[in-house]
Amino acid sequence: MSIRVAVVDDHPVFRLGMVALLGTLDGIDVVAEASSVGQALDVVTADVDVVLMDIELGDGSGVEATGSLLARYPGIRVLMVTMHEDADLLVAAMRAGARGYLVKGADPAGVERAIRAVADGELIVGAAVAEKALGAMTAIRTGAHAAFPELTDREREVLDLVARGYDNATISRRLVLSQKTVRNHVSNVLSKLGAANRATAIVRAREAGLGVRPTSATRTSGPVRSVTDSDRFGP
């Protein structure tokens, strides 16, 4: 059976080019396309197998759109497509449930391989960010879980970035969240930690090992594929 794909990207040239490319591939059918979070939530249904999701959309975050779509249709596979080789963005996307993360630039063969791999249930990420992101996720979970069991994974992630000295605007860009959402997370963290202010939270977080980028990654189990620099698509 054909793999049914939806393309979500707010850049019309890239979106139309991707739709045209996928139309030339055997066994892959584009059944929906959207340019915004709102459109994606309207046109993507349970009949879609794979969503190619831009990480930054004009009316919001592709990461948050991914979470909303997967809450409705858990069987859908989401492949994030982005210009950014950023470990924090990858972590945010995977936490939202994405099954793949590719930097725009792979050739047509790379696009096809990624879609088929994600449709088959594999996890596929770019080699440039995979090691850093796996290390970051492990460090956050193991380094702070015992110290801050009252925090959710997302709140620990925000606390880690706060402890690095980032302001809310920077955290918002790194996690592809609205600044209002970030402010709410920071407020929840301060409340749960009983910290009077941001500075106090930073001190406690650094004492627990947060706020420092990991220098190595840990291995992970399961079908994970990495994409090399030759797997680039688009300009």
Side-chain angles (χ1 to χ4, degrees):
M1 295 181 62
S2 295
I3 300 172
R4 293 159 296 187
V5 177
V7 179
V8 181
D9 197 292
D10 64 346
H11 292 87
V13 172
F14 180 83
R15 186 179 68 256
L16 294 174
M18 179 61 71
V19 170
L21 167 64
L22 298 182
T24 68
L25 303 178
D26 292 335
I28 295 178
D29 294 327
V30 177
V31 297
E33 58 178 290
S35 62
S36 66
V37 173
Q39 288 183 8
L41 296 179
D42 286 339
V43 303
V44 175
T45 68
D47 293 332
V48 173
D49 298 310
V50 176
V51 179
L52 293 183
M53 177 73 74
D54 189 8
I55 209 163
E56 294 178 344
L57 298 168
D59 64 339
S61 161
V63 172
E64 293 183 330
T66 294
S68 297
L69 286 175
L70 291 175
R72 293 182 184 180
Y73 313 115
I76 287 177
R77 311 288 187 179
V78 178
L79 178 61
M80 307 303 297
V81 182
T82 176
M83 293 293 294
H84 306 289
E85 293 186 352
D86 189 295
D88 292 325
L89 291 176
L90 172 57
V91 171
M94 295 308 175
R95 288 198 190 286
R99 298 294 301 173
Y101 182 100
L102 291 177
V103 178
K104 291 180 179 179
D107 60 22
V111 177
E112 182 176 6
R113 283 195 295 272
I115 291 174
R116 295 191 188 282
V118 169
D120 285 341
E122 296 183 44
L123 175 65
I124 184 166
V125 298
V129 295
E131 183 176 349
K132 292 186 295 183
L134 289 172
M137 291 177 72
T138 301
I140 292 172
R141 287 176 178 172
T142 61
H145 217 293
F148 307 120
E150 66 271 44
L151 301 183
T152 66
D153 285 345
R154 174 64 86 187
E155 288 166 350
R156 266 189 296 278
E157 190 173 23
V158 169
L159 177 59
D160 177 64
L161 295 177
V162 168
R164 296 188 203 176
Y166 297 144
D167 59 18
N168 287 357
T170 303
I171 295 172
S172 171
R173 290 192 297 271
R174 283 180 134 352
L175 298 184
V176 199
L177 298 172
S178 69
Q179 290 195 44
K180 180 180 178 181
T181 298
V182 172
R183 285 196 301 270
N184 289 339
H185 283 312
V186 172
S187 178
N188 289 340
V189 167
L190 295 180
S191 176
K192 288 182 179 182
L193 297 186
N197 50 49
R198 199 179 187 100
T200 302
I202 290 174
V203 171
R204 291 190 57 187
R206 290 180 176 174
E207 288 175 346
L210 291 183
V212 179
R213 287 186 179 276
T215 56
S216 61
T218 57
R219 295 181 181 274
T220 184
S221 59
V224 179
R225 290 181 56 186
S226 177
V227 182
T228 66
D229 288 338
S230 63
D231 292 333
R232 301 278 176 177
F233 60 95

